[in-house]
Amino acid sequence: NERRMEKNPGSIKTKWNFPNCCGAIDGKHCQIKRPDNSCSEFYNYKGTYSIILFALVDADYRFVFIDVGSNGRVNDGALFRNSTLNSAMENNLLNWPDHSVIIGDDAFPLRNTLLKPYSKVNLTLKQKIFNYRLSRARRVSENAFGILAQRFRVFGRPIELKVSTIDLVIRSACYLHNWLRMTSSNYISMGCVDYEDLDTGTFHEGQWRAERNLGLAPVRNIASNNYSTSAAHLRDQYADYFSGAGSVPWQLKAIGID
């Protein structure tokens, strides 16, 4: 069946022009001091020790799902596969509207409910436009993590606590982030997050990106290339929509085509 491009669920559709999207997923390393009696369990590919914060973020930069505590050796795809979010999606327990999707980077599996970029070379124009539109919407997760690390300086250095306590610290920071996002108009100020000039297609980085010492490092991206025919067809439908009825005026400039 052809999937309709609904006008809801709301926020990412209206703010980021991505129909049916409920949020963007990503994972970050939270650097910790080497736990006692730990050898390689929390040792990550960047040569530090960490536990991982995996999250689903909405269009208002709020964490609507978090999973804390996986050790630093895990990659993005495995994080999602082992998460309660994945289990809830597979068992239709989230009470989302019909045809809802989430979005992620190339590390995640392509599914009927999870869209990721086209990863092959020699992309068509439609595929390049799709990748841009997905990347544009997915910035909400990158910016949410960036603001979290900028506002809560506990992430700026290795956290020297027991792992169980570190879990509580990270969860508390996420809860406070959400509360401040909903109650304080000054929590995210102008220029703090990424934005685009829609007349020129020019991308401007948020201020948090200039702070290179922020302690939430990307999780290793190991691409997952297994997907069903129906999932590939759904992504193609989105690509057709973004190049047709759902196009936005600045998208060609954004991908370098005048």
Side-chain angles (χ1 to χ4, degrees):
N1 294 331
E2 294 296 306
R3 181 178 292 215
R4 300 186 307 278
M5 298 301 167
E6 305 285 355
K7 294 184 179 180
N8 55 25
S11 53
I12 283 188
K13 160 62 184 176
T14 57
K15 289 190 175 182
W16 298 101
N17 308 102
F18 207 104
N20 307 331
C21 187
C22 290
I25 54 174
D26 204 355
K28 298 293 182 184
H29 289 283
C30 301
Q31 193 172 350
I32 64 174
K33 182 180 178 182
R34 177 182 172 180
D36 293 338
N37 302 316
S38 172
C39 294
S40 61
E41 182 181 4
F42 294 91
Y43 192 73
N44 62 51
Y45 75 103
K46 298 181 75 67
T48 62
Y49 292 86
S50 63
I51 62 175
I52 297 175
L53 167 60
F54 173 66
L56 172 68
V57 178
D58 71 9
D60 290 315
Y61 309 106
R62 294 176 300 194
F63 297 104
V64 294
F65 166 89
I66 59 172
D67 190 310
V68 184
S70 294
N71 68 68
R73 299 173 63 188
V74 179
N75 62 64
D76 266 340
L79 271 174
F80 173 72
R81 186 171 59 250
N82 297 328
S83 70
T84 54
L85 175 63
N86 179 40
S87 177
M89 291 173 66
E90 288 185 336
N91 292 286
N92 196 28
L93 299 177
L94 295 175
N95 197 31
W96 284 347
D98 292 342
H99 311 307
S100 295
V101 297
I102 60 176
I103 55 178
D105 64 21
D106 194 46
F108 297 102
L110 179 65
R111 295 184 180 176
N112 292 329
T113 53
L114 199 172
L115 295 177
K116 71 174 194 172
Y118 292 97
S119 57
K120 61 186 178 182
V121 296
N122 300 319
L123 298 177
T124 67
L125 179 59
K126 284 185 179 180
Q127 290 171 336
K128 290 178 180 178
I129 290 172
F130 172 87
N131 282 1
Y132 159 69
R133 296 287 293 273
L134 185 141
S135 175
R136 180 175 184 267
R138 200 177 64 80
R139 287 186 202 133
V140 295
S141 60
E142 296 177 359
N143 280 269
F145 282 115
I147 295 303
L148 182 73
Q150 186 184 60
R151 294 291 188 261
F152 294 88
R153 293 297 178 168
V154 67
F155 297 110
R157 65 184 65 182
I159 304 174
E160 299 187 31
L161 297 168
K162 292 182 179 180
V163 171
S164 59
T165 305
I166 294 172
D167 285 3
L168 293 175
V169 169
I170 295 171
R171 291 178 187 277
S172 297
C174 291
Y175 297 148
L176 288 170
H177 166 92
N178 284 357
W179 180 74
L180 288 167
R181 183 70 187 101
M182 291 184 291
T183 61
S184 172
S185 60
N186 297 321
Y187 180 60
I188 297 181
S189 57
M190 179 67 69
C192 192
V193 296
D194 299 337
Y195 72 97
E196 282 180 302
D197 184 326
L198 301 185
D199 292 325
T200 65
T202 304
F203 170 70
H204 299 272
E205 291 188 345
Q207 295 168 357
W208 66 266
R209 292 186 184 271
E211 299 191 35
R212 303 302 180 187
N213 63 336
L214 292 179
L216 294 180
V219 176
R220 179 179 291 180
N221 184 330
I222 300 178
S224 174
N225 295 314
N226 297 320
Y227 50 84
S228 67
T229 301
S230 61
H233 178 62
L234 173 61
R235 183 167 62 181
D236 290 342
Q237 281 186 263
Y238 269 87
D240 290 340
Y241 176 76
F242 289 148
S243 293
S247 65
V248 292
W250 64 87
Q251 64 189 25
L252 291 180
K253 289 183 179 179
I255 63 172
I257 298 175
D258 293 328

